[in-house]
Structure formats: structure tokens, C-alpha cells
């Protein structure tokens, strides 16, 4: 057997910045994951320090691809939104900053897009034709739209306006925790949310990721929607794995 292909994935989240080398043949971590808390004031420079520290901890070859996710719209290496991160990211050329600091090519992408691609390539959306919508439920709601195996980046379906509210402010995991909703109450919110999405896009499949997907049995069976909905297979590893995959396949 040949040597397997490795890429580093780093997932920048609201509370933690996590990275691991990924075996791209298996779609699995090739080493233990490293997690460093996100700096309190998560400016691009402060986050870059942590990312550089994570990259330093792994023994990367010169040509090892590195992919980094942000919880933001990212076009051409520039962050365009900042719903749950420091506003100073908006308009910031994140790719350039990271490339200078790490001294290598970097791929920057939206966190939910990374998770979606990982599920498509290695997880719950494998071999699914037609439109798949992967949603991540966490501090916000992230989304990835994948049509016949191709990602349409930056879909931002967490910000649909429903009953006058930004959808993620009512239906994300953070809303469940903040308002102390039980599984049934939260499932009602999610039903409203996913019904809106299915009425607009008519996907073949929803995949639900984010940390709470580990407890999918507690809430997915309570949803009353017509589209099949399944938990993410890669759970919260998907961001790291997808970032690594896309860095190696840009
Ligand atoms: C952001 C998205 C992000 C999602 C999950 C949303 O608030 O707008 O870009 O993917 O949170 O982190």
C-alpha cells in the first residue's frame, strides 16, 4: 500500500480552535486532535496566533495542504460576515494573513461548508444524488448546499428570517441552552426551521451536524417534516476533515 495522503484541518469556532492532521484516504484523524480555547477577543491576529501554534505542534511536510474554517462567509480568501465572531474579520483578507504567518499556501472556507463536504465525501451524504443540505447546530446555524456532489458555498441558511426573527437566534443549540428548552420544545423550533428550508429548496436529504448531533436520538425523531433527516456521521470532526479535504482538492 502507498503512503496515505495527509492534510491539516483547523476549525475556528466561538469557544475553541481545533486542529488535526487528516488521513484523506480514510477521512479520519491521523493524530490526536489539538484544541486551544478561542481568545476572548477573537480578532484575526489573535486567532492567527493560535492557528500558528496548532500548526507548529504537528510535524507537517512542506507540501502538506492546510485548510482553515471560519464561522463566516468567505469569498476569495476574505471574510465577509461576522455573526458570531469579532467584527474586525469583515473585509479582512484572512487567507493572506494566515499564509504570511504560516509561510505556506492556506485554504480558508466557511465552517459549515467544510462540514458539508466532509459528510459528502466520507459521511452521511455519501453517494446521495440531488440536493443535500447539511446544517450545523451550534452557537449559530451553519449550512452547506451540495448538489450532485458539488458545493455551492456560503449558503447562510441559518439567517433565514422566520416570524420576524433571525432563524439561528431561535433554533440554534445556543437558543436551546439560553432559553432552557427541553427536547420537545426545541424540536418544535427545529420543525419550523426545517419546514421553511424544505419549502424553499425541496432537498433530497438533510444532514444535521454540530456537537448536538451526538444526541440526535433525543430530538431528530421528534421533528415533523417531510424530508429525510439524518445525523452527521463525522459529528464535530467534520469541520476539520472537510477543511483538510478541500485544502488538498482546491
Ligand atoms: C454564520 C455562518 C456559520 C454558522 C455556523 C452563522 O452565524 O453566519 O457563516 O457557518 O454561523 O458557525
Amino acid at each position: 500500500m502507498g503512503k496515505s495522503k495527509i492534510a491539516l484541518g483547523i476549525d475556528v469556532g466561538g469557544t475553541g480552535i481545533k486542529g488535526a492532521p487528516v488521513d484523506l484516504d480514510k477521512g479520519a484523524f491521523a493524530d490526536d486532535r489539538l484544541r486551544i480555547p478561542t481568545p476572548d477577543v477573537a480578532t484575526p491576529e489573535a486567532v492567527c496566533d493560535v492557528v500558528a501554534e496548532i500548526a507548529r505542534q504537528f510535524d507537517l511536510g512542506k507540501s502538506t495542504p492546510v485548510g482553515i474554517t471560519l464561522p463566516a462567509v468567505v469569498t476569495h480568501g476574505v471574510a465577509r460576515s461576522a455573526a458570531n465572531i469579532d467584527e474586525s474579520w469583515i473585509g479582512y483578507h484572512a487567507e493572506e494573513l494566515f499564509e504570511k504567518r504560516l509561510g505556506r499556501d492556506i485554504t480558508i472556507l466557511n465552517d459549515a461548508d467544510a462540514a458539508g463536504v466532509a459528510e459528502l465525501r466520507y459521511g452521511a451524504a455519501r453517494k446521495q444524488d440531488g440536493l443535500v443540505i447539511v446544517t450545523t447546530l451550534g452557537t449559530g446555524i451553519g449550512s452547506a448546499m451540495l448538489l450532485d456532489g458539488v458545493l455551492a458555498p456560503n449558503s447562510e441558511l441559518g439567517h433565514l428570517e422566520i416570524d420576524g426573527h433571525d432563524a439561528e437566534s431561535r433554533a440554534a443549540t445556543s437558543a436551546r441552552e439560553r432559553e432552557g428548552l427541553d427536547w420537545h420544545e426545541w424540536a418544535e423550533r427545529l420543525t419550523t426551521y426545517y419546514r421553511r428550508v424544505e419549502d424553499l429548496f425541496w432537498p433530497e436529504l438533510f444532514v444535521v451536524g454540530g456537537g448536538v448531533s451526538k444526541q440526535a436520538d433525543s430530538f431528530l425523531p421528534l421533528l415533523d417534516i417531510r424530508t429525510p433527516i439524518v445525523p452527521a456521521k463525522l459529528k464535530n470532526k467534520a469541520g476539520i476533515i472537510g477543511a483538510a479535504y478541500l485544502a488538498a482538492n482546491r
Side-chain angles (χ1 to χ4, degrees):
M1 261 195 355
K3 204 165 167 271
S4 52
K5 185 139 180 47
I6 301 287
L8 179 69
I10 298 180
D11 197 16
V12 175
T15 54
I17 301 179
K18 296 145 279 181
V22 174
D23 179 329
L24 297 174
D25 292 330
K26 298 187 181 142
F29 291 175
D31 199 343
D32 288 343
R33 188 191 78 157
L34 184 68
R35 179 184 189 279
I36 297 180
T38 306
D40 285 343
V41 184
T43 57
E45 290 80 7
V47 168
C48 194
D49 286 344
V50 176
V51 165
E53 175 59 22
I54 291 176
R56 208 177 55 78
Q57 299 274 333
F58 297 106
D59 188 20
L60 302 177
K62 264 254 159 282
S63 59
T64 306
V66 177
I68 302 172
T69 75
L70 292 178
V73 171
V74 180
T75 60
H76 311 289
V78 179
R80 300 284 182 189
S81 68
N84 296 303
I85 50 166
D86 197 81
E87 287 203 348
S88 57
W89 283 91
I90 297 179
Y92 208 93
H93 205 305
E95 208 160 84
E96 228 169 67
L97 170 81
F98 287 116
E99 284 184 346
K100 269 199 199 126
R101 182 63 183 275
L102 275 74
R104 59 200 305 141
D105 274 354
I106 301 286
T107 301
I108 306 272
L109 69 156
N110 172 262
D111 55 0
D113 283 346
V117 165
E119 290 298 327
L120 181 80
R121 182 74 184 76
Y122 306 106
R126 247 179 117 181
K127 303 200 176 104
Q128 173 67 58
D129 291 334
L131 179 63
V132 180
I133 298 183
V134 177
T135 54
T136 58
L137 303 175
T139 308
I141 296 181
S143 64
M145 295 187 80
L146 305 142
L147 179 61
D148 291 330
V150 178
L151 170 74
N154 296 309
S155 54
E156 292 294 311
L157 300 183
H159 298 296
L160 285 174
E161 187 185 314
I162 299 182
D163 300 333
H165 299 277
D166 186 8
E168 70 173 24
S169 73
R170 308 270 301 160
T173 301
S174 57
R176 179 174 73 86
E177 291 167 352
R178 192 175 55 242
E179 297 183 46
L181 304 176
D182 65 24
W183 292 118
H184 284 270
E185 289 166 326
W186 192 45
E188 271 179 37
R189 302 269 181 100
L190 290 174
T191 293
T192 304
Y193 176 66
Y194 286 108
R195 277 191 185 172
R196 173 63 65 85
V197 178
E198 68 183 0
D199 285 349
L200 289 171
F201 296 103
W202 288 81
E204 301 291 338
L205 178 71
F206 284 125
V207 178
V208 180
V212 75
S213 60
K214 287 185 191 145
Q215 290 155 281
D217 287 350
S218 305
F219 66 96
L220 283 194
L222 306 176
L223 298 197
D224 183 12
I225 59 175
R226 66 172 171 264
T227 309
I229 186 162
V230 295
K233 278 226 171 86
L234 304 170
K235 310 287 187 256
N236 50 357
K237 293 181 178 169
I240 292 176
I241 293 175
Y245 177 81
L246 280 162
N249 295 279
R250 45 189 313 192

